[in-house]
Amino acid sequence: MIEMFDFIGDIHGYAESLELLLRKLGYVKTEQGYKHSHRKVFFLGDFIDRGPKIRETLHIVKTMIDNGNALAIMGNHEYNAIAYNTLDDKGDFLRKHSAKNRAQHSETINQFKGYENEYNRYIEWFKSLPLFFENENFRVVHACWDQENINFLKKKLKGNCLKENDLKDFSNPNTEDYNAIEETLKGKELKLPDEIFFLDKDGHQRKEIRVKWWEDSSKHNYRTFGVHFDENIPNLPISTDYNFYSEKEKPVFFGHYWLQGLPTILKENVCCLDYSVAKGGKLVAYRFNNEKKLSNSQLVYV
C-alpha cells in the first residue's frame, strides 16, 4: 500500500494554527495524538522559535511521529538550537551566544523555563531528524535540494542524520561540510555587487540574496533571482551560473522562505510551504497523492 502524505510547512510555535490545519485536513485527536485513517503528515522542520506555544507544538509533532502518524525533517532552527547548546573542545558553544543569536532563541528558551530537562530531551530528539528525505515519488528538504550537496551528505551521514562527531565539522565555515549543510538547511545565497545591501524581515542588513534555486539563473537578474523582492537589489545581470532544479526531477517540497500572499506552487514539481505564519501569514499544507505534476488545488491552509 502506497502511503499518502500531507506536507506541512514551518510552524514556529503556532500550535493553535497547527491544530486547526490538522483538523481541516481530516486528522482526529486521539490518545496517541492526531491521526488520519489513511494518511500521514510530513513536517518540513522549523517547529521552534518565534511563536507563543512552542512546547505544545513540539508535543503535537513528536507524539504524531512516535505513534507512526507523521514523519519530519530538520529545519535550520532545530539545527541552530543543537549548535547553540553544544560545546566544542575549547568549551565554547558551536553557535555563538551573541546578541543576535540570543534574540533568535529567546522565545524558545523563555517558554522552557522550569522545563529545562524537557528542552534538553528535545535537543537530543532534534539530532535524530534527517536533513532530507527521498523516495520514488518525492523529495523533502527544509530549504534547498542541490544534488551535489545531497550526494555529499549521503556519504557523510548515517541515515541522513547528524552524528555527534559531525557537529564540529559542520560548524566550521572552512569545511565542505559547512557549505553543504548551510545550503541544505538555509538555501543558496548570491553576494550582491559592490556595497549594495538590503534589510531582511527582522531588520538585519544583508549583502547576499537567497536565490530561486529551482529556476534558471540565466533568465534572471539580481533583483528577479532573489526569493524576495526589494527595490534596493539592482537590475544587473548575474555573473554566476547555478544548477537549477529541472522540470524532469521528481516533486520536491520545502519550507524556509517566508513567502507571502496566496499559496501557490512554484513549478509543477516544486512546492514551498512556508507562508509566514509567524508574521501573520498562513500555515500551509500540500495534500499529496503521488501525482507527477503538482496542483494549486491540493494546497490547504489556515
Side-chain angles (χ1 to χ4, degrees):
M1 179 177 173
I2 299 176
E3 291 183 315
M4 300 293 186
F5 285 100
D6 298 311
F7 298 96
I8 294 181
D10 307 33
I11 306 163
H12 283 301
Y14 281 79
E16 291 182 358
S17 296
L18 175 58
E19 292 194 272
L20 284 173
L21 182 58
L22 288 169
R23 289 196 290 269
K24 190 170 184 178
L25 290 165
Y27 289 78
V28 177
K29 192 172 186 179
T30 71
E31 291 183 358
Q32 290 78 41
Y34 282 92
K35 65 182 300 183
H36 195 283
S37 60
H38 57 280
R39 303 184 69 87
K40 293 182 179 181
V41 167
F42 209 127
F43 294 105
L44 305 184
D46 277 10
F47 313 120
I48 62 173
D49 300 331
R50 304 185 187 279
K53 292 189 175 182
I54 294 166
R55 289 181 62 228
E56 292 86 344
T57 296
L58 288 171
H59 176 73
I60 293 168
V61 170
K62 189 172 184 299
T63 299
M64 289 184 70
I65 293 171
D66 288 348
N67 286 284
N69 297 313
L71 298 176
I73 54 167
M74 183 189 295
N76 63 299
H77 281 255
E78 286 75 49
Y79 177 72
N80 288 345
I82 293 169
Y84 193 80
N85 289 277
T86 301
L87 294 169
D88 64 15
D89 294 334
K90 298 178 182 178
D92 299 320
F93 287 99
L94 294 177
R95 180 172 170 82
K96 293 180 180 179
H97 285 207
S98 64
K100 177 184 174 182
N101 291 341
R102 286 198 304 272
Q104 186 186 77
H105 294 287
S106 62
E107 196 61 52
T108 298
I109 292 169
N110 289 339
Q111 291 181 38
F112 274 98
K113 282 183 178 176
Y115 302 94
E116 286 78 9
N117 289 336
E118 180 185 338
Y119 183 49
N120 290 334
R121 289 194 294 271
Y122 277 122
I123 294 293
E124 291 304 308
W125 176 65
F126 293 163
K127 296 175 185 177
S128 73
L129 298 174
L131 299 183
F132 56 89
F133 178 92
E134 178 178 16
N135 66 16
E136 62 182 9
N137 296 311
F138 61 84
R139 293 167 172 163
V140 184
V141 69
H142 183 67
C144 174
W145 191 282
D146 176 273
Q147 197 60 53
E148 288 186 8
N149 287 334
I150 297 297
N151 291 341
F152 174 84
L153 291 170
K154 281 181 178 179
K155 293 178 182 177
K156 185 81 178 184
L157 304 174
K158 183 177 180 180
N160 301 342
C161 297
L162 288 168
K163 301 189 293 290
E164 195 70 35
N165 56 3
D166 289 332
L167 289 170
K168 293 169 188 175
D169 286 339
F170 281 119
S171 299
N172 183 349
N174 299 316
T175 64
E176 189 176 354
D177 309 59
Y178 179 88
N179 181 71
I181 199 168
E182 282 283 303
E183 291 192 351
T184 300
L185 294 183
K186 301 178 183 179
K188 288 181 176 291
E189 293 189 340
L190 175 64
K191 184 175 175 56
L192 292 170
D194 303 321
E195 296 301 315
I196 296 170
F197 68 89
F198 68 102
L199 300 180
D200 68 10
K201 65 185 183 303
D202 296 317
H204 299 130
Q205 189 179 111
R206 301 287 187 184
K207 295 183 179 180
E208 299 86 20
I209 55 172
R210 286 178 176 168
V211 302
K212 299 172 182 174
W213 50 269
W214 54 91
E215 294 193 9
D216 184 349
S217 62
S218 67
K219 299 179 181 179
H220 287 276
N221 57 48
Y222 279 95
R223 183 178 293 184
T224 62
F225 197 43
V227 175
H228 297 288
F229 173 84
D230 190 289
E231 61 184 11
N232 292 318
I233 300 173
N235 283 313
L236 295 175
I238 298 168
S239 57
T240 305
D241 288 329
Y242 281 85
N243 294 324
F244 67 98
Y245 199 82
S246 80
E247 289 77 4
K248 297 178 181 179
E249 305 283 354
K250 65 185 70 171
V252 61
F253 298 90
F254 54 96
H256 186 63
Y257 289 100
W258 296 87
L259 301 185
Q260 298 178 341
L262 183 68
T264 55
I265 60 171
L266 300 174
K267 290 166 64 172
E268 287 186 337
N269 63 335
V270 178
C271 182
C272 178
L273 292 168
D274 180 10
Y275 277 81
S276 308
V277 67
K279 294 286 186 180
K282 301 172 179 65
L283 186 63
V284 185
Y286 187 94
R287 174 144 281 187
F288 185 62
N289 296 314
N290 297 308
E291 62 268 27
K292 301 295 183 184
K293 293 184 178 181
L294 306 180
S295 169
N296 287 327
S297 65
Q298 298 302 97
L299 291 163
V300 182
Y301 49 89
V302 295

